[in-house]
Amino acid sequence: MDPYVLKTLNEERRARRAAVLVTDLGDGRDRIVREGDHVAGDLGAAIARAFRTGNSESVEAEGRTFFLNAHLPRPRLVVIGAVHISQALAPMARIAGYPVEIVDPRTAFATPERFPDVALHAEWPEDVLKRQPLDSYTALAAVTHDPKIDDFALKAALDAKCFYIGALGSRKTHAKRVERLLALGASADQIARIHAPIGLDIGAASPAEIAVAVLAQAIHAFRSRGLEAKGAVA
């Protein structure tokens, strides 16, 4: 591999940005395609699929054979709120392959006893996210029902273009949240990305059922990235 290509690929991986290494199997030449780069035709469609699935494969395009080596950051889940939903959601998300972090400044809730083997931050989201910024390969679920805790994290998730953003609360609660986020500088288009009420509409009633709905919605959001604008997602 060309040293410059390898250096670029490593830089993208360290920055938690997705990239596909495209190798022309005819002449051995490599190039890096970053997520969002425009590539036309059948090769572009195959690269878009690699970004969406994370699968590496050989493809035929333009009369040539290419190998697409997909390098995607591991998606992670940040939960704002050490509540009953979070207690059920954390182990489920780990089983699905999503590292989980819980953030809640309320030390009575954010305890190792309630969240064993979970990365737990008994701090304000402002402080945690300053050290560990969100990114487009992060899902954020805000479940405290407390604007003082949730709102900053939601605004940060919108600015970071997290692939999934969900917030607990009724439509009436969300309407008030929208007003606050607009006051914080979020645009209406940004706010429209928030899933509220949070989770797929499966009639969930218990904290564990809500956790299932949230995780399913987050997985769907991750696997359907880039398809919504094309009308390919129901």
Side-chain angles (χ1 to χ4, degrees), residues 152-210:
F152 177 89
L154 288 169
K155 178 61 165 57
L158 292 173
D159 291 341
K161 299 180 180 177
C162 289
F163 74 83
Y164 173 79
I165 307 170
L168 188 67
S170 66
R171 287 176 174 80
K172 182 177 179 180
T173 296
H174 186 60
K176 295 178 181 178
R177 179 187 293 128
V178 168
E179 293 177 2
R180 296 193 304 270
L181 290 173
L182 287 170
L184 289 174
S187 70
D189 286 344
Q190 282 184 304
I191 295 170
R193 295 192 58 238
I194 299 174
H195 295 273
I198 197 170
L200 293 180
D201 185 6
I202 59 173
S206 69
E209 289 176 348
I210 295 171

Side-chain angles (χ1 to χ4, degrees), residues 3-230:
Y4 175 77
V5 171
L6 179 59
K7 178 182 178 183
T8 302
L9 180 59
N10 286 334
E11 287 173 352
E12 296 302 299
R13 294 171 68 178
R14 282 194 295 270
R16 278 182 57 84
R17 293 190 295 261
V20 172
L21 175 64
V22 181
T23 302
D24 186 325
L25 296 182
D27 58 21
R29 287 188 295 181
D30 296 318
R31 63 170 165 142
I32 297 290
V33 177
R34 298 175 177 84
E35 195 164 23
D37 289 351
H38 177 70
V39 181
D42 292 341
L43 180 59
I47 290 172
R49 183 171 63 248
F51 277 122
R52 195 165 58 250
T53 65
N55 294 332
S56 300
E57 60 177 345
S58 295
V59 299
E60 300 290 332
E62 304 161 8
R64 305 179 71 86
T65 303
F66 299 90
F67 187 78
L68 309 183
N69 195 337
H71 296 267
L72 272 59
R74 188 179 184 186
R76 63 180 178 131
L77 173 63
V78 174
V79 183
I80 308 299
V83 299
H84 292 310
I85 295 170
S86 313
Q87 286 180 290
L89 181 55
M92 291 179 189
R94 284 202 306 271
I95 291 171
Y98 288 71
V100 180
E101 295 185 42
I102 308 289
V103 181
D104 195 325
R106 301 171 299 183
T107 54
F109 297 132
T111 66
E113 291 75 24
R114 298 183 72 230
F115 293 93
D117 304 318
V118 176
L120 187 63
H121 306 279
E123 304 172 69
W124 288 94
E126 294 93 316
D127 298 324
V128 176
L129 301 183
K130 189 180 299 182
R131 295 194 310 268
Q132 300 172 214
L134 302 172
D135 56 50
S136 63
Y137 278 80
T138 301
L140 183 128
V143 293
T144 73
H145 245 317
D146 186 339
K148 297 190 302 296
I149 303 173
D150 285 348
D151 284 2
F152 177 89
L154 288 169
K155 178 61 165 57
L158 292 173
D159 291 341
K161 299 180 180 177
C162 289
F163 74 83
Y164 173 79
I165 307 170
L168 188 67
S170 66
R171 287 176 174 80
K172 182 177 179 180
T173 296
H174 186 60
K176 295 178 181 178
R177 179 187 293 128
V178 168
E179 293 177 2
R180 296 193 304 270
L181 290 173
L182 287 170
L184 289 174
S187 70
D189 286 344
Q190 282 184 304
I191 295 170
R193 295 192 58 238
I194 299 174
H195 295 273
I198 197 170
L200 293 180
D201 185 6
I202 59 173
S206 69
E209 289 176 348
I210 295 171
V212 170
V214 172
L215 181 59
Q217 193 172 53
I219 292 171
H220 180 264
F222 183 69
R223 292 303 178 189
S224 61
R225 291 167 302 125
L227 291 179
E228 297 89 340
K230 300 177 183 178

